[in-house]
Amino acid sequence: MKKRYIAGGIALTLVIGGAVAAYTILPTTHDGSPTELPELARFGDSIGTSVQNIALGTRTVVETSSLVTGNLGEEERTLRVRFWYPSDGAEGKAAEYAHEIIVGGNEAVGVNFAGQAINDAIAKEGKFPLVVMSHGFGGWAEHYSNLGEHIASRGYVVASIDHADERVTSAPSFLTSFSNVLQNRSLDQRQIIAKIISNANSASTGYAAAIDTNKIGLIGYSMGGFGAIRTAGAPYDYSAESLGNLPEAAQQSIKDGTQETAPISALIAIAPWGGTADNRSWNSDALSKITVPSLFIAGNQDDVSDYAGGISWVFDAMKNSKRHMLTYREARHNVVGNAILDPKFPANDDFATTEYMREPVWRTERINAINQHFITAFLDLTLKGDADKASYLNTPTQDSNDSNWEIAFGEQLNGSLAGKDQESHWRGFQRRWVVGLEMQSKNKGE
């Protein structure tokens, strides 16, 4: 039987074998109330949302037989893209983002996330930077709708790509699906960006007309990060095991489609895959070709992308980028994504789905709030030229536990947020409420 779980403050009913259990899951998005949110994680202005199917033309496809013969198939590739954008506050039905998660051979688990964006709301007049989001292997466009909505509420048009990864149900389907992800991620990102720019330049109304095509940021998570690093300018090393095992025709397809420099001005790589020492997708010289400012986000126990030997190595090797890396201590790979808060999700016999959606130590909603805070600061700094936001990223201590805010005996701060006057505390966080984090910052040439 298919299970369904709903997030966003909505009561949920689960029916199994005639028995009914009802419970409530807390919201995964925030309405701007202070609570524990750091400063820039607080929701901004009204937003709208819309979905567009974007045709990318003919693309080569790795089929099961391709892994033996080396011959590729072909298909017309059309991807669904979820847009969020500033609106004028028109009333209407708020979006719900439904998806079915299928991990391995397990049964489908349905999730509905309640959003804050108004479906097809009228776009706000003006020009706003574009932020493109690219999900991980097996993800979907609304996997981190909380982040997309938040960025849009802060004055951006956000385009989240649904890469339509083949669902994995067996070893052969894993090989073909993963091979196509290796081939498609950067190609998808580049073509979607080009299509959005073309649409924006010809549009006179709507969210497309509101896009400032000279200010583009790219966010990639996991395999989305693998593609984003290539899109930002680092050529792949085809001697790496994963890329080297692709049919030569697939390798050539990537090379042909990724030669031109993508017009992005900022890169956010969240737990990017591809840097681990035994399967390294770039060399140091390739990574040094990235010159746009970058923000990395990762868990120091990431055993999928390999924090020490993979993510950190990529971060260090991008020596020609002004860059920051936010690290969650004791976190593994799932450092982004909507939160499923109820402890019953999913059934106990479906632990693979739990592993796909949750972190073992950190609360996902807390991670989301911290991500929103730092990503907002980074995008405002790099795409809007807001120099004041640098102080949020250039933290006074690398280890957040060493952050200090002196107060008088008996003084009550009642959730006050650190500002410029609290020079020894991480800006935008409450006193005592910024722990378990690290922030590294490196200038070009370091």
Side-chain angles (χ1 to χ4, degrees):
M1 173 177 289
K2 185 185 298 180
K3 308 183 186 77
R4 182 157 299 277
Y5 297 81
I6 304 177
I10 300 174
L12 177 152
T13 300
L14 175 64
V15 181
I16 300 179
V20 178
Y23 50 90
T24 300
I25 297 179
L26 298 177
T28 60
T29 53
H30 304 284
D31 62 4
S33 59
T35 63
E36 65 173 346
L37 301 183
E39 179 184 350
L40 302 180
R42 301 177 183 203
F43 207 78
D45 297 326
S46 299
I47 58 172
T49 186
S50 186
V51 172
Q52 184 179 356
N53 293 316
I54 298 182
L56 304 181
T58 303
R59 182 80 61 81
T60 57
V61 180
V62 179
E63 301 171 330
T64 302
S65 61
S66 303
L67 302 176
V68 178
T69 66
N71 298 322
L72 303 184
E74 287 188 347
E75 69 176 10
E76 291 296 316
R77 189 162 177 81
T78 297
L79 297 182
R80 184 176 67 90
V81 180
R82 167 72 68 173
F83 287 87
W84 292 283
Y85 51 89
S87 75
D88 285 321
E91 295 183 359
K93 181 176 175 55
E96 287 189 8
Y97 309 115
H99 185 73
E100 287 189 349
I101 305 167
I102 301 178
V103 180
N106 294 331
E107 64 177 310
V109 176
V111 289
N112 286 359
F113 295 102
Q116 298 188 74
I118 303 301
N119 286 315
D120 299 315
I122 296 175
K124 189 174 183 177
E125 292 186 3
K127 289 289 186 180
F128 306 95
L130 171 68
V131 178
V132 176
M133 303 202 306
S134 178
H135 62 71
F137 183 33
W140 64 101
E142 296 83 10
H143 183 194
Y144 34 97
S145 60
N146 71 85
L147 179 59
E149 287 196 337
H150 180 80
I151 294 170
S153 80
R154 290 283 178 160
Y156 296 85
V157 175
V158 180
S160 187
I161 306 169
D162 194 320
H163 292 279
D165 299 340
E166 176 189 350
R167 284 176 166 170
V168 175
T169 57
S170 63
S173 66
F174 170 81
L175 291 175
T176 56
S177 181
F178 194 69
S179 295
N180 282 305
V181 169
L182 291 172
Q183 179 184 222
N184 286 330
R185 273 304 187 272
S186 183
L187 296 176
D188 286 348
Q189 292 166 4
R190 291 163 176 268
Q191 286 189 275
I192 290 293
I193 289 171
K195 290 282 188 177
I196 292 174
I197 290 174
S198 176
N199 291 342
N201 288 338
S202 61
S204 58
T205 60
Y207 60 84
I211 294 172
D212 184 342
T213 58
N214 295 312
K215 298 176 180 178
I216 301 174
L218 175 60
I219 301 175
Y221 166 57
S222 193
M223 291 308 296
F226 163 82
I229 290 170
R230 176 65 194 97
T231 301
Y236 291 133
D237 181 354
Y238 293 91
S239 67
E241 181 179 357
S242 57
L243 289 162
N245 286 337
L246 285 176
E248 289 187 10
Q251 295 181 28
Q252 192 61 49
S253 175
I254 301 172
K255 293 173 184 177
D256 292 343
T258 61
Q259 290 182 0
E260 295 184 6
T261 301
I264 66 170
S265 302
L267 167 68
I268 299 176
I270 304 175
W273 186 86
T276 187
D278 61 355
N279 194 10
R280 196 158 274 169
S281 300
W282 310 272
N283 56 39
S284 297
D285 180 64
L287 291 168
S288 71
K289 297 182 185 299
I290 296 177
T291 59
V292 296
S294 306
L295 171 65
F296 280 62
I297 299 174
N300 75 348
Q301 298 300 314
D302 191 326
D303 54 349
V304 174
S305 295
D306 182 6
Y307 177 78
I311 300 169
S312 294
W313 178 82
V314 172
F315 174 78
D316 289 338
M318 284 174 43
K319 61 183 180 180
N320 287 316
S321 167
K322 166 67 175 175
R323 59 211 187 276
H324 304 273
M325 183 158 73
L326 172 68
T327 299
Y328 292 91
R329 288 200 295 271
E330 300 307 319
R332 289 204 183 274
H333 188 62
N334 296 332
V335 290
V336 71
N338 289 348
I340 300 289
L341 303 183
D342 193 281
K344 299 176 184 176
F345 171 85
N348 292 334
D349 61 351
D350 191 10
F351 189 70
T353 306
T354 293
E355 281 194 304
Y356 187 81
M357 291 292 291
R358 282 178 157 168
E359 271 297 306
V361 174
W362 281 80
R363 289 179 291 126
T364 304
E365 72 275 16
R366 177 64 175 164
I367 287 179
N368 287 341
I370 295 170
N371 287 345
Q372 290 164 4
H373 174 80
F374 282 110
I375 288 173
T376 298
F378 177 75
L379 293 174
D380 284 357
L381 174 66
T382 55
L383 297 184
K384 293 185 177 180
D386 184 352
D388 181 59
K389 294 302 195 304
S391 62
Y392 293 83
L393 297 158
N394 298 323
T395 57
T397 61
Q398 179 171 322
D399 185 340
S400 66
N401 293 20
D402 296 332
S403 188
N404 184 47
W405 185 343
E406 296 287 348
I407 62 172
F409 179 75
E411 182 179 357
Q412 300 297 311
L413 297 177
N414 195 30
S416 296
L417 302 170
K420 290 183 177 180
D421 293 339
Q422 287 74 44
E423 296 180 351
S424 299
H425 196 274
W426 283 31
R427 187 172 178 188
F429 284 85
Q430 300 89 339
R431 185 177 181 273
R432 300 182 60 250
W433 217 243
V434 54
V435 290
L437 303 172
E438 295 179 11
M439 179 67 83
Q440 299 179 58
S441 299
K442 293 192 175 186
N443 292 313
K444 285 189 176 183
E446 292 187 71

